[in-house]
Amino acid sequence: MSSSSNPDGSQYGRLAYWDQRYTDDKEPFEWYTNYNSIRSNCHSHFRPNGKILNVGCGNSLVSEDMHFDGFNDIVNVDLSGVVIQQMIDKTQALNGLTWQVMDARYMEFDDESFDAILDKGMIDTLLSGDNSIESAQKFSSHVARILKPGGIYMCLSSGIPNERLPMLNNQDYSWDVECVPIAKPVISEVEVKFNLEEDTSCYWLYICKTGGDDEEG
């Protein structure tokens, strides 16, 4: 299924599209930006020995980069079995990276399984597909369920704060939410200024912390 047949982006919610895409193009692809752009935030909010979930991992280099940067336990999930097998084959020598086929809307992990969850475009993908609001709500409810007390959900999104914050500041999740502008890849030397409500010159990193304290403080 080609993107030209679905110009509205709804193909992003369909397994057939992703399987074909990863079959046709095995080169790593980064949604929005690379690990270096969020590295300082990861070190500020993720523990090196914490259990981290990278949801909607695709064939991004982010988990490999995090592994070499000191994060020791990263579980990666994606809907596409094609890309998961590719990543298993590629990273089999890297201890601490595991890969599973899983639908982000129906995650099968136990409650309070993870210290942190990284979402690099996942919620945006769900919001561009069929039954978008319902899909995003299902995903968010699982995120809240599988995070430990004091855990962090870090979401890199193209959605501006006045679009994303009402969804993330949901009383069902009880998250404290901070939003941080992340510059898009540089195409000009002109200084970029950010507007929290309207700016599309940047991406947004939403850092959501669950209530309570984790066991390690």
Side-chain angles (χ1 to χ4, degrees):
M1 185 181 300
S2 68
S3 59
S4 60
S5 65
N6 291 280
D8 61 354
S10 62
Q11 77 273 13
Y12 293 149
R14 298 171 188 169
L15 175 59
Y17 167 80
W18 292 110
D19 280 349
Q20 191 62 54
R21 173 170 173 161
Y22 292 124
T23 298
D24 293 343
D25 186 359
K26 298 180 176 64
E27 290 299 312
F29 180 83
E30 296 294 345
W31 285 98
Y32 303 143
T33 188
N34 60 27
Y35 171 62
N36 283 338
S37 296
I38 60 172
R39 179 178 183 270
S40 63
N41 295 283
C42 289
H43 277 283
S44 294
H45 296 284
F46 297 168
R47 295 200 316 270
N49 293 321
K51 189 172 184 179
I52 301 169
L53 174 66
N54 178 18
V55 61
C57 60
N59 59 11
S60 164
L61 296 174
V62 67
S63 288
E64 295 163 76
D65 290 340
M66 290 178 70
H67 167 82
F68 291 117
D69 200 29
F71 295 99
N72 302 315
D73 187 358
I74 306 175
V75 178
N76 302 270
V77 300
D78 198 280
L79 184 64
S80 171
V82 171
V83 79
I84 289 296
Q85 188 58 54
Q86 290 174 356
M87 297 307 290
I88 290 172
D89 294 342
K90 179 184 179 185
T91 65
Q92 55 187 320
L94 302 182
N95 294 327
L97 296 183
T98 59
W99 308 85
Q100 298 182 45
V101 178
M102 194 174 294
D103 189 326
R105 299 167 297 180
Y106 305 100
M107 290 191 283
E108 301 167 0
F109 300 111
D110 291 339
D111 294 356
E112 301 183 3
S113 297
F114 292 94
D115 298 285
I117 297 174
L118 177 62
D119 163 5
K120 199 159 167 277
M122 183 72 249
I123 203 166
D124 289 3
T125 298
L126 294 173
L127 287 169
S128 70
D130 299 327
N131 303 312
S132 58
I133 299 300
E134 179 183 1
S135 292
Q137 289 174 340
K138 286 180 178 178
F139 166 62
S140 298
S141 67
H142 278 285
V143 168
R145 179 183 65 79
I146 65 179
L147 272 177
K148 295 178 181 179
I152 297 291
Y153 167 46
M154 187 178 291
C155 172
L156 183 64
S157 172
S158 64
I160 60 177
N162 67 352
E163 293 176 351
R164 291 291 180 267
L165 287 176
M167 175 179 297
L168 297 172
N169 281 320
N170 187 311
Q171 62 181 0
D172 292 337
Y173 313 142
S174 300
W175 293 333
D176 292 326
V177 184
E178 173 189 1
C179 59
V180 178
I182 302 294
K184 291 183 177 180
V186 175
I187 58 176
S188 170
E189 295 182 1
V190 176
E191 181 182 0
V192 178
K193 296 183 179 180
F194 302 120
N195 181 316
L196 290 177
E197 299 303 326
E198 300 177 356
D199 205 304
T200 57
S201 67
C202 61
Y203 300 119
W204 294 95
L205 192 66
Y206 297 94
I207 302 167
C208 311
K209 183 174 182 179
T210 64
D213 295 318
D214 60 25
E215 293 180 356
E216 296 185 27

